[in-house]
Amino acid sequence: MPELPEVETIRRGLEPLIANKVFTRPVLLFPGSIRHPEPDRFCEQLEGRRIIAVKRHGKYLLLELDCGLLVVHLRMTGRLVYLEKGEPPSGHLRVVLPFQDGSFLYFSDMRKFGGLWLLESKDDLSPAGMHRLGPDIYEQVTEEKFLELLQKRPRARLKPLLLDQLFVAGLGNIYVDESLHRCRLHPCREAGSLSREEGKALFRAIRAVLEEGIRCGGTSSRDYRDARGEKGTFQERLAVYGRKGCLCRCGAAIERTVVAGRGTYYCPRCQEEKEGPP
Ligand SMILES: [Zn+2]
């Protein structure tokens, strides 16, 4: 699933390509991809609106319009790709969003979990369920704020806590596993067991991993592509994710376990399961 670095890569790629463009009437090949309002009204209302800016919150992509907001979530297999006039889109096409100048955006989604929401106001994100999201981990959380947030959830285990989009928004399985490995914390450690130094180390590891992920244009393990349909390269730099049985830098074999229902990769030597300071 695309996580923060992938969605940020799409955002950075899309903004210069589509800012100031005006939508014409969308074509729905799979109306179920339209989550709000109902599909006919979505098409009617989007027509004629101009894109002002492309923003992101967690894993949501936000196209700010001259009136309202077009929200896109890619979930498992969604792609939002920009094409010039005449370029044919590839498979699993669900929604075509044409612009007045003949170029278009297309939304494809093999597994159909992704979706688009057209909201009337930036101040009411509830139709897209975004009002409950935690702060964006990359844009809105400082080290101090992160330590405070950890203290509010002392009994929560790190892996599910960091995946919880209501706690902080943007992280998914890949970047959580990589961050925990980088600061040598076991995925099952409880947030309240971390020393202040460990909390800071975790925050810095998350920042560093996200920055590297963005610099590499994201991780293309399966379906993810950027705004131009290109793959990212962070998959070549993964230290633990998807590497069960491979050797860690320390020489131990990477293990895979399941934490709160999610496949979790870690190094049993670097990330020893121990209690933190009392
Ligand atoms: Zn190791």
Side-chain angles (χ1 to χ4, degrees):
M1 176 195 279
E3 303 181 27
L4 191 151
E6 290 76 43
V7 180
E8 179 63 18
T9 300
I10 295 170
R11 189 197 73 72
R12 291 181 186 188
L14 274 183
E15 190 165 58
L17 295 170
I18 64 173
N20 271 317
K21 296 206 177 195
V22 178
F23 286 109
T24 59
R25 207 174 180 85
V27 180
L28 309 182
L29 290 96
F30 176 64
S33 293
I34 305 302
R35 303 303 174 86
H36 183 88
E38 53 90 23
D40 285 346
R41 274 188 63 204
F42 175 93
C43 293
E44 204 173 285
Q45 289 178 359
L46 189 63
E47 189 173 4
R49 294 202 191 176
R50 179 185 297 274
I51 297 171
I52 304 301
V54 184
K55 302 272 172 70
R56 182 190 55 71
H57 187 106
K59 304 175 196 174
Y60 286 84
L61 204 56
L62 312 171
L63 277 59
E64 286 188 6
L65 308 172
D66 51 1
C67 169
L69 191 66
L70 178 62
V71 177
V72 182
H73 199 304
L74 303 172
R75 299 283 177 210
M76 301 289 286
T77 57
R79 291 182 192 171
L80 192 65
V81 173
Y82 171 83
L83 291 176
E84 301 285 353
K85 203 172 180 170
E87 288 182 75
S90 53
H92 307 295
L93 190 57
R94 306 298 180 206
V95 180
V96 182
L97 302 167
F99 295 113
Q100 279 181 353
D101 68 358
S103 61
F104 56 98
L105 268 181
Y106 78 87
F107 177 73
S108 69
D109 191 11
M110 185 176 64
R111 301 195 49 192
K112 301 180 177 174
F113 292 126
L116 287 78
W117 294 256
L118 181 58
L119 306 183
E120 281 312 306
S121 160
K122 280 182 274 191
D123 303 321
D124 182 13
L125 303 175
S126 56
M130 290 183 63
H131 57 300
R132 295 172 63 223
L133 283 182
D136 185 87
I137 182 69
Y138 192 67
E139 302 283 349
Q140 297 174 323
V141 182
T142 60
E143 190 172 274
E144 270 314 307
K145 168 97 175 162
F146 185 69
L147 295 173
E148 265 171 45
L149 288 170
L150 285 176
Q151 280 170 9
K152 286 184 188 162
R153 301 285 299 277
R155 302 309 308 270
R157 292 179 298 167
L158 292 176
K159 174 75 189 254
L161 182 63
L162 294 171
L163 287 178
D164 181 356
Q165 302 299 299
L166 311 190
F167 177 67
V168 288
L171 296 170
N173 229 10
I174 298 176
Y175 294 93
V176 168
D177 284 2
E178 292 295 311
S179 300
L180 289 171
H181 176 259
R182 193 166 294 206
C183 63
R184 305 168 74 97
L185 290 171
H186 193 278
C188 292
R189 276 283 295 273
E190 288 181 355
S193 79
L194 265 55
S195 68
R196 196 175 158 78
E197 285 315 308
E198 285 175 320
K200 285 183 179 179
L202 174 57
F203 179 75
R204 288 171 193 168
I206 293 169
R207 292 286 313 184
V209 166
L210 291 176
E211 266 160 23
E212 258 179 70
I214 293 169
R215 231 177 12 249
C216 291
T219 304
S220 291
S221 52
R222 290 188 199 129
D223 300 287
Y224 159 74
R225 298 292 183 275
D226 71 12
R228 281 292 200 171
E230 304 290 331
K231 290 186 176 190
T233 62
F234 193 65
Q235 64 277 12
E236 294 157 19
R237 305 173 69 137
L238 297 172
V240 287
Y241 183 82
R243 304 191 69 234
K244 182 185 172 188
C246 298
L247 296 188
C248 175
R249 263 191 307 258
C250 73
I254 308 294
E255 289 185 4
R256 181 184 185 277
T257 180
V258 176
V259 181
R262 302 297 299 272
T264 297
Y265 298 88
Y266 70 106
C267 170
R269 190 184 292 167
C270 294
Q271 297 165 268
E272 234 183 302
E273 190 165 15
K274 61 181 176 195
E275 293 305 313

